[in-house]
Amino acid sequence: MARRPLPRILSNGTASLARSRELARSAADSATDVLHPLITITRGLRRLAGAGRRKWTETPKDRRGPLLFMAASVVLVVALVPYGGMLALVCLMGAAAWAGRERAEPVPEGPDEAQAQRLRTFYEALVPYFSVPEDPAPLYAHGGDWEAALTSYAFDDTGRVSCLRVSYPAYFADGDLESRARVEALLHAKAGRGREYHFAWDEEANELTVTVLAPLPTDIAAQPFVTGPGETVLGFTDETGVQRTLPVTVGDDTRDAPPVVWRTGVRSTEPHLLIAGRPGSGTTTLLRSIALQALRHGDVLIVEGGGTGDYACLAGRDGVLAIECGLAGARASLEWAAHETERRLIAANRARQTGHSQPEDVKRPLWLLVDRPSALGHLAAADGRGDPQSLLDVPLRHGRAANVTVVVADQLDCLDALSDAVRQHTRARVVLGPAVPYQLAEVLGTPPHTTPTQDVPPGRGYARLGTGPVHRLQVPATPDPYDDATSEAHRRAVMDLLPPRSGPTGSAPAARTADPTEQPAAAEG
C-alpha cells in the first residue's frame, strides 16, 4: 500500500508556523495602533462609570433624590439647547479620553525619611574631619544642611548606600594619605562593612565619590587566554580599571572579562614581578598560572624554596628546564641562569655589531620562577653558605635585554629577607590575601583606592604594574592537578594546558652555549 504524502503544512511546518506567528504578531501590533484611540476612550468610559458608581454609593440616601433631580434638569437643559446632544457627546468623549490616558507612576523626589536619616548620619560623622573653628561659613557644622555637602547619592534595594558624592572644603588636606585614610575608614564603617568600596578623590573639584564595587568573579579557571607573545594574564579586575577585555570560558558559556595583563620582554618597563601574600592566599596558584602561560612561547626554570611539591605536574614537560627544591640544586640552577643571561647578552651584542638578527635561542624567553627564596636563604645561612638570592642579581639587572624574566614569590612576613636587587628591580607587584593598609602601601608603593573585604577568597588581592594604578585582582583558578582536593573540572583544565612530557622528571637544565668557558659551576655538596 503506497504511503500518502504528508500535508504541506506538516512537511515544512516549522517555517510556515514561524511566518504565521510573525504575521499574526504584526497584525496585532497594527490593530493596536489603529484602535488605540478607541481603547483609550473605552478605558476612560469605564473609569468614569466607576467614579460615578462610587459617588452614588458614597452619597447618603436622603440626598440621592435631589441629586437625581439635578441630573435630570441638566439632561433636559442640554436637550433643549441647539446642538446640545452633540456638544454633550463631544464633552463626554473628551472627558473619557482624558480619564483613559496612560498615567506614568510618579517618581518620588528626594530621599525618604530613613534615607534622609542615613545621609544626616554621614554628614554629622564628617563634621570633625571637614571643619575648623576659623571657618566663618563652614560647610560642615553640627546640625547644618547636609544637602549642600552630600550632592549626589543612591541607595540599593536593601536601603544601604550604593553611591555617595561628598563635597569638602578646599582647606582639607586631600593630598595627605593619612587624612584620606581616616575619611575612607569612617565612610567604610558608616556605609556598612562586608562590601568593597571605591574612593575617587577629585582634588580639583574638592569632591569625593564613594561607589560600591561588585565582587570579582571567582569562577574563571585556567585556560588558553587570547594574548600575544610577551603578554601574561595575572588575573581579572573591574571593567572600569582597564580598557581591554578577553573572552573567557566558564562552564559552557563564554563571556568577556577585563584582565590585568603584564607585558614582559625587551620593550617592557616592568620586566620582573614580585608576588607577596600569606599562606593559602594563592601565590603558588599565580606562579603556576604564569608558568603555564610562559610555556606557550618560552622555557621555564622553577626554584621552590618551600619544598612542598606544588609544581610536580610540570616536571619533565616540554620547556621546563628544571624544578629544584634543594639548596644545592637551587644554587646550581641559579648559577646557570646567571651564566645564561651573560651568554645571551654577549650573543645579542655580537649580532648587533655584525648587523645580523639575534639567534633563536636568545630570542626565546627564559622565565625564572622562584618561590619562597627566603626559606633558601635561611637554609644557606644555617649551612654556612651564601644566600642564593645573590645569584639573581645578573638576571634582574640585565634580564630585559637578554629576554630573561624573573618572578619572585614570598610571604608578607618574610619580605625583609629579600635582597636589595629583588626589591629594586621587581617593579611589577602583586599582593594576595588579607593585608593591612600599611602592608599594601609598603609593597605596592601606594595604598589602593578600595577597601578590602572581611572574607578574602583564594587568589584575591591587588596588582600594580610600575607606577600605574592599583587594580583589584582575582587570579584564575589554577590548582595542583595532583591534589586530592582539586575538583575534576579544574584538574582537567590544568592538565589540558600542560605540554607533553619530553624527558625524565627532575632533569637539570642544559646550558644553551657553544663556549665551554661559560658552563655553569657544578653543584655544591
Side-chain angles (χ1 to χ4, degrees):
M1 180 178 179
R3 294 185 178 180
R4 299 180 59 184
L6 292 174
R8 186 176 180 181
I9 191 173
L10 296 179
S11 60
N12 56 353
T14 303
S16 300
L17 291 177
R19 285 195 299 270
S20 301
R21 284 196 296 267
E22 194 66 28
L23 290 174
R25 190 179 297 109
S26 301
D29 294 340
S30 301
T32 302
D33 295 338
V34 173
L35 300 177
H36 182 71
L38 181 59
I39 295 174
T40 302
I41 292 175
T42 304
R43 188 190 305 121
L45 289 175
R46 186 171 62 252
R47 291 177 180 177
L48 291 177
R53 191 182 303 108
R54 288 193 302 270
K55 182 66 175 177
W56 178 260
T57 305
E58 295 173 357
T59 303
K61 294 183 178 182
D62 56 344
R63 296 184 181 180
R64 291 182 179 179
L67 182 61
L68 286 175
F69 178 77
M70 184 181 300
S73 301
V74 171
V75 172
L76 180 62
V77 171
V78 170
L80 295 177
V81 173
Y83 305 104
M86 184 179 297
L87 293 176
L89 181 61
V90 171
C91 293
L92 179 62
M93 293 297 103
W98 178 260
R101 72 189 189 280
E102 296 180 355
R103 303 173 184 177
E105 292 291 335
V107 179
E109 297 182 359
D112 56 21
E113 184 177 355
Q115 294 174 352
Q117 180 60 35
R118 291 185 66 90
L119 294 174
R120 192 176 297 109
T121 301
F122 278 101
Y123 176 81
E124 293 291 338
L126 291 172
V127 169
Y129 299 89
F130 291 152
S131 64
V132 293
E134 295 82 6
D135 192 349
L139 179 62
Y140 288 83
H142 293 292
D145 183 15
W146 61 267
E147 295 182 356
L150 308 181
T151 58
S152 178
Y153 45 82
F155 292 85
D156 57 13
D157 296 337
T158 61
R160 304 173 72 184
V161 173
S162 60
C163 183
L164 182 65
R165 181 174 297 173
V166 180
S167 296
Y168 56 87
Y171 52 75
F172 175 73
D174 51 9
D176 185 14
L177 296 180
E178 294 183 359
S179 300
R180 284 189 178 190
R182 287 194 293 268
V183 174
E184 292 175 0
L186 172 67
L187 294 176
H188 182 203
K190 294 299 181 182
R193 302 188 183 276
R195 301 183 296 176
E196 290 187 85
Y197 299 89
H198 179 266
F199 299 94
W201 293 83
D202 188 355
E203 295 88 347
E204 185 177 0
N206 296 325
E207 288 183 345
L208 168 61
T209 303
V210 185
T211 309
V212 177
L213 297 174
L216 293 178
T218 59
D219 54 352
I220 301 178
Q223 54 192 282
F225 299 114
V226 183
T227 56
E231 293 183 343
T232 303
V233 176
L234 299 179
F236 296 90
T237 183
D238 304 297
E239 295 182 355
T240 58
V242 294
Q243 301 179 354
R244 177 180 177 182
T245 59
L246 291 179
V248 296
T249 302
V250 180
D252 297 332
D253 299 332
T254 300
R255 65 172 186 259
D256 292 336
V260 178
V261 178
W262 172 42
R263 293 174 176 84
T264 58
V266 179
R267 294 178 177 85
S268 173
T269 57
E270 300 86 22
H272 307 298
L273 175 68
L274 174 62
I275 307 171
R278 300 184 182 278
S281 60
T283 56
T284 304
T285 297
L286 180 54
L287 276 178
R288 196 181 294 112
S289 174
I290 292 175
L292 292 176
Q293 297 180 62
L295 287 172
R296 297 168 58 184
H297 306 286
D299 298 327
V300 174
L301 173 62
I302 301 176
V303 176
E304 184 184 0
T308 56
D310 292 327
Y311 307 95
C313 61
L314 298 170
R317 303 284 179 174
D318 285 346
V320 180
L321 303 181
I323 301 177
E324 298 294 348
C325 301
L327 178 60
R331 288 187 60 88
S333 298
L334 295 180
E335 286 180 4
W336 173 87
H339 285 284
E340 175 66 10
T341 304
E342 295 175 350
R343 185 197 68 82
R344 288 177 173 230
L345 287 175
I346 295 173
N349 187 30
R350 290 174 179 173
R352 285 192 296 267
Q353 289 179 356
T354 57
H356 295 86
S357 62
Q358 296 182 1
E360 292 298 327
D361 59 346
V362 175
K363 291 191 295 184
R364 183 172 176 82
L366 174 62
W367 292 72
L368 305 180
L369 307 183
V370 185
D371 192 1
R372 294 204 62 190
S374 60
L376 293 175
H378 292 310
L379 292 177
D383 202 19
R385 302 182 184 182
D387 193 343
Q389 294 186 63
S390 60
L391 301 173
L392 292 174
D393 291 353
V394 174
L396 286 170
R397 296 179 186 275
H398 308 287
R400 184 174 71 170
N403 235 344
V404 177
T405 302
V406 180
V407 181
V408 178
D410 216 321
Q411 297 182 5
L412 277 172
D413 53 357
C414 298
L415 295 182
D416 294 338
L418 297 179
S419 64
D420 294 337
V422 172
R423 289 196 295 264
Q424 292 175 4
H425 294 281
T426 53
R427 301 181 66 249
R429 302 290 180 91
V430 172
V431 180
L432 299 178
V436 294
Y438 83 88
Q439 290 178 327
L440 295 174
E442 182 181 359
V443 178
L444 301 175
T446 183
H449 295 291
T450 61
T451 56
T453 57
Q454 295 179 349
D455 299 328
V456 181
R460 177 68 171 82
Y462 297 93
R464 189 188 187 200
L465 305 179
T467 58
V470 179
H471 300 285
R472 291 199 306 165
L473 183 72
Q474 179 62 50
V475 177
T478 316
D480 183 5
Y482 297 159
D483 190 355
D484 296 337
T486 302
S487 64
E488 180 61 26
H490 288 170
R491 188 190 70 83
R492 177 52 55 188
V494 176
M495 295 298 292
D496 291 342
L497 295 177
L498 290 174
R501 294 190 182 276
S502 59
T505 60
S507 59
R512 299 174 179 267
T513 177
D515 189 355
T517 61
E518 296 181 10
Q519 292 289 344
E524 300 181 8

